[in-house]
């Protein structure tokens, strides 16, 4: 005979849902912090495009992450200035 399926899991209580949400948020915050640092390492090494790519990973899961948005904007401005300077030479 076929094996019976386990009974469905009851819905989470508000407290369980809130606790899971807090854990999830902390994990996302940690991920964003790690990616910010990795982007800064690339930036400091002169790998501006790589830094932007790393920070864009944060924006993929948190479009309002202001430090990443600021870092991308600043780095894009610097890349633009560098291209202008290189074109003048």
């Amino acid at each position: 005979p076929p094996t019976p399926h386990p009974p469905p899991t009851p819905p989470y209580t508000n407290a369980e849902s809130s606790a899971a949400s807090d854990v999830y948020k902390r994990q996302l915050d940690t991920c964003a912090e790690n990616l910010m640092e990795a982007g800064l390492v690339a930036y400091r090494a002169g790998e501006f495009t790589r830094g932007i790519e790393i920070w864009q990973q944060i924006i993929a899961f948190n479009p309002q992450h202001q430090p990443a948005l600021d870092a991308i904007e600043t780095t894009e401005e610097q890349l633009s200035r560098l291209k202008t300077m290189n074109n003048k030479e």
Side-chain angles (χ1 to χ4, degrees):
T3 308
H5 295 288
T9 306
Y12 290 114
T13 65
N14 284 340
E16 290 170 326
S17 180
S18 179
S21 178
D22 289 346
V23 168
Y24 178 68
K25 183 178 178 339
R26 281 194 305 274
Q27 289 174 336
L28 286 177
D29 289 345
T30 298
C31 183
E33 289 173 17
N34 291 339
L35 288 168
M36 279 302 298
E37 184 60 32
L40 287 170
V41 168
Y43 174 88
R44 290 177 187 135
E47 299 173 12
F48 301 129
T49 302
R50 180 69 184 131
I52 290 170
E53 290 169 354
I54 293 169
W55 294 320
Q56 286 173 335
Q57 292 176 42
I58 300 169
I59 302 308
F61 65 83
N62 184 352
Q64 306 304 316
H65 191 272
Q66 199 58 52
L69 293 169
D70 292 343
I72 291 168
E73 180 181 359
T74 299
T75 305
E76 286 176 341
E77 289 171 359
Q78 288 184 316
L79 280 172
S80 177
R81 282 194 295 271
L82 284 171
K83 286 179 187 174
T84 300
M85 287 173 48
N86 287 337
N87 289 338
K88 289 181 180 178
E89 293 177 357

